[in-house]
Amino acid sequence: MGGSAGSRRRLSDSDSEEETTSEPQAPLLGRQGAHWKNAVGFWFLGLCNNFSYVVMLSAAHDILSHEKEAGNHSHVDPGPIPIFHNGSSRFDCNSVSTAAVLLADILPTLLIKFLAPLGLHLLPYSPRVLVSGICSAGSFVLVAFSHSVWISLCGVVLASISSGLGEVTFLSLTAFYSRAVISWWSSGTGGAGLLGALSYLGLTQAGLSPQHTLLSMLGIPILLLASYFLLLTAPEQDPRGEEEADIAAQQPLIGVEAPACKTNFGWNISLQERWTVFKGLLSYIIPLVLVYFAEYFINQGLFELLFFQNTSLSHPQQYRWYQMLYQAGVFASRSSLRCCHIRLTWILALLQCLNLAFLLADIFLRFLPSIYIVFLIVVYEGFLGGAAYVNTFHNIAVETSDKHREFAMAAACISDTLGISLSGALALPVHNFLCRLP
């Protein structure tokens, strides 16, 4: 590698002055082109990775409202028949909370993220991406053709495996690129929320059945694979050192196994070092856990119960609008890193918990007169969640050494999943309690 660089310098000295001055421009343009390809590539990876996860949450009310009957795929049902826990319940409740879909959509992800630090790094990146894409496609197909709530939940589990495996993989992969790609990845995940919720809302509102809506989204897994294998470039600089750059730079993209003599980079660090790094991450992990606990308790525990009868929107339509507006707030804030950096993310956690307390109080007291006030609160809720996510990972990337960054990014991504899982587990009994209230 050093010899080839020296050869280029000797050739440069023997060339004309005009060629010498123009020579650096080509590598510069090449680097700029690679930078934008990688930026766009990570944006699309973020979009595609979270798309199926978001769609399953947007479809949660439809999945649990009724079991599809054979042949009932040519139209959208006008709405579910309310199933009350008792005849005097004040809420229009499904027999099972939408938190059940949330748990099916997050627990496999939680398991993947817990196990990832133990050995997922031994599997090259390319097979991981292939599995993620296949599971994403399988989730759409299984839910679309399901005639049973439980088979639909199995499809949701596939979406969770796809999203969890993809997030661990792609956040670890950012360690091989410029720190700027974290902003693009986060923006893409926010875009997945907005486009996923909006596309499901728009297509069903336009009269397309849930089955056909889901099948129309099968292009997303294909775009995921194309973005990874065709759009991303091999990293120009590898944190493992110049001597190994030619081989190591290709490893994330083509799955070449690293030789045993690698230096201590990324995952190849001692358990004591990993524990030390993890303890240092707790100041960012704990606030992000709280943010996601509060917002997903709202989304999957309270959205279904925030039902307004003084509007033209049906109950399923109100639920879809809540999901779409929440994702709009997430997208805006996850794309805001270039404008605003927030280091004290615990402030966002506090504000999100206040959101939860306010909306829970409204469930009991019914003091909000209009659904449009809830719409504004939901956008604000999404903005806080997205800001917490993008700033947490940006702060970790900036403050972590090259040696530990790959491990730190993968370890910290447990935060949102843990918070979501805890909220889903608590939302189920709370749903049952509230739906029994007279």
Side-chain angles (χ1 to χ4, degrees):
M1 189 169 179
S4 63
S7 300
R8 285 195 297 269
R9 284 194 294 270
R10 286 191 293 272
L11 284 172
S12 173
D13 293 337
S14 62
D15 285 346
S16 66
E17 183 178 350
E18 179 180 352
E19 290 174 343
T20 303
T21 57
S22 63
E23 185 181 2
Q25 297 179 6
L28 177 61
L29 292 175
R31 285 195 298 271
Q32 289 176 342
H35 167 78
W36 284 108
K37 284 186 68 177
N38 293 328
V40 173
F42 272 96
W43 193 90
F44 276 115
L45 290 174
L47 172 75
C48 299
N49 185 71
N50 283 26
F51 198 90
S52 60
Y53 167 82
V54 170
V55 168
M56 295 306 162
L57 292 182
S58 298
H61 197 278
D62 294 327
I63 290 173
L64 296 175
S65 293
H66 63 280
E67 294 188 1
K68 303 180 191 126
E69 298 178 2
N72 185 28
H73 304 307
S74 59
H75 67 283
V76 180
D77 285 351
I81 299 174
I83 303 173
F84 298 99
H85 285 264
N86 58 58
S88 59
S89 174
R90 71 176 78 169
F91 301 108
D92 178 11
C93 297
N94 282 313
S95 58
V96 181
S97 168
T98 52
V101 175
L102 175 64
L103 287 175
D105 210 9
I106 202 62
L107 288 181
T109 295
L110 180 66
L111 181 63
I112 289 171
K113 290 183 178 181
F114 266 128
L115 295 178
L118 301 179
L120 186 62
H121 60 287
L122 299 176
L123 184 66
Y125 282 79
S126 294
R128 289 193 244 168
V129 176
L130 285 172
V131 171
S132 178
I134 292 170
C135 288
S136 177
S139 70
F140 290 128
V141 173
L142 194 56
V143 175
F145 288 105
S146 169
H147 298 284
S148 162
V149 169
W150 298 108
I151 293 178
S152 295
L153 291 178
C154 290
V156 176
V157 167
L158 285 179
S160 177
I161 293 172
S162 170
S163 175
L165 181 61
E167 185 175 14
V168 172
T169 298
F170 297 128
L171 278 174
S172 298
L173 190 61
T174 62
F176 294 88
Y177 293 87
S178 163
R179 291 183 178 91
V181 300
I182 297 173
S183 174
W184 288 91
W185 157 266
S186 299
S187 176
T189 58
L194 179 61
L195 294 178
L198 186 60
S199 61
Y200 188 83
L201 171 67
L203 292 173
T204 52
Q205 288 278 95
L208 204 61
S209 70
Q211 180 199 37
H212 292 148
T213 298
L214 292 172
L215 292 177
S216 70
M217 298 172 178
L218 282 173
I220 296 297
I222 297 173
L223 181 59
L224 172 76
L225 298 178
S227 299
Y228 177 78
F229 287 103
L230 302 179
L231 196 54
L232 289 189
T233 64
E236 290 184 6
Q237 293 181 350
D238 189 87
R240 303 178 196 202
E242 219 175 356
E243 296 178 359
E244 299 165 348
D246 290 338
I247 297 175
Q250 300 296 325
Q251 192 271 337
L253 300 182
I254 63 176
V256 176
E257 290 293 345
C261 60
K262 291 294 181 189
T263 59
N264 274 351
F265 170 78
W267 295 92
N268 198 17
I269 56 179
S270 68
L271 289 176
Q272 184 175 0
E273 276 186 285
R274 295 186 193 189
W275 176 241
T276 301
V277 172
F278 183 78
K279 287 192 295 184
L281 297 175
L282 289 177
S283 61
Y284 292 118
I285 288 177
I286 293 174
L288 194 58
V289 169
L290 292 175
V291 167
Y292 272 84
F293 170 81
E295 73 182 74
Y296 273 84
F297 190 94
I298 294 171
N299 292 1
Q300 304 306 130
L302 304 185
F303 275 2
E304 184 186 5
L305 306 178
L306 290 167
F307 174 45
F308 289 81
Q309 296 182 346
N310 59 344
T311 177
S312 60
L313 296 173
S314 68
H315 195 177
Q317 289 171 337
Q318 289 182 38
Y319 181 85
R320 295 169 194 158
W321 273 103
Y322 289 149
Q323 291 288 348
M324 192 279 293
L325 291 170
Y326 159 75
Q327 298 294 353
V330 171
F331 174 68
S333 58
R334 288 196 181 190
S335 304
S336 66
L337 187 60
R338 292 178 178 272
C339 305
C340 179
H341 295 168
I342 301 173
R343 192 174 186 279
L344 301 177
T345 53
W346 62 267
I347 296 175
L348 303 175
L350 176 62
L351 293 174
Q352 198 71 289
C353 290
L354 291 176
N355 267 349
L356 170 59
F358 182 81
L359 291 176
L360 189 59
D362 179 68
I363 294 293
F364 285 100
L365 304 177
R366 292 293 185 181
F367 55 81
L368 292 178
S370 170
I371 192 173
Y372 296 103
I373 298 176
V374 179
F375 282 170
L376 291 175
I377 295 173
V378 167
V379 173
Y380 171 62
E381 173 213 346
F383 190 87
L384 291 177
Y389 181 93
V390 67
N391 282 281
T392 294
F393 285 104
H394 171 75
N395 293 336
I396 291 172
V398 169
E399 298 178 15
T400 307
S401 67
D402 289 345
K403 176 181 179 181
H404 298 137
R405 188 175 301 120
E406 186 182 9
F407 168 77
M409 296 297 282
C413 74
I414 193 68
S415 311
D416 56 342
T417 309
L418 181 59
I420 295 169
S421 301
L422 293 174
S423 69
L426 184 60
L428 280 172
V430 170
H431 169 273
N432 294 335
F433 169 75
L434 292 175
C435 286
R436 291 190 181 99
L437 292 177

